[in-house]
Amino acid sequence: MSDNILEDIEEYLELKNYVDYEFKKEYGLTFAFRRQIVMIKDRVTSAEIAPVGIIYEENGQYYLAPLDKAINISEVVKEYVENCI
């Protein structure tokens, strides 16, 4: 066993945590959703889809209006630029 018991538990359970963002365009606005899936031994144990913000264009500039102060805005913006622009 190593010194970090948390890593040992994650390795034993084969714990995997996937987080990504999805974007849906409706009525001239783009809604951003955070999707998180936790898997233990290749079985889904929990899944969550939560709205995180609204992206809109004004005067040729894009803006993100977050719905929660706890989100990492730079992650959402990076994902949006890579996948949608």
Side-chain angles (χ1 to χ4, degrees), residues 56-73:
Y56 61 96
E57 182 181 3
E58 186 176 295
N59 298 328
Q61 301 268 333
Y62 288 94
Y63 298 94
L64 172 67
L67 299 175
D68 186 5
K69 292 180 182 179
I71 67 160
N72 187 346
I73 293 174

Side-chain angles (χ1 to χ4, degrees), residues 14-78:
E14 299 173 23
L15 183 69
K16 296 176 188 152
N17 189 16
Y18 300 100
V19 176
D20 65 347
Y21 294 92
E22 295 182 15
F23 303 96
K24 176 78 173 166
K25 260 190 169 175
E26 291 291 329
Y27 307 109
L29 300 172
T30 303
F31 297 89
F33 298 91
R34 181 177 186 263
R35 182 174 62 177
Q36 180 176 9
I37 299 171
V38 178
M39 299 181 75
I40 295 177
K41 295 191 178 197
D42 293 327
R43 293 181 182 222
V44 175
T45 59
S46 72
E48 173 185 15
I49 298 176
V52 294
I54 300 170
I55 299 171
Y56 61 96
E57 182 181 3
E58 186 176 295
N59 298 328
Q61 301 268 333
Y62 288 94
Y63 298 94
L64 172 67
L67 299 175
D68 186 5
K69 292 180 182 179
I71 67 160
N72 187 346
I73 293 174
S74 61
E75 282 183 17
V76 177
V77 170
K78 179 181 174 186

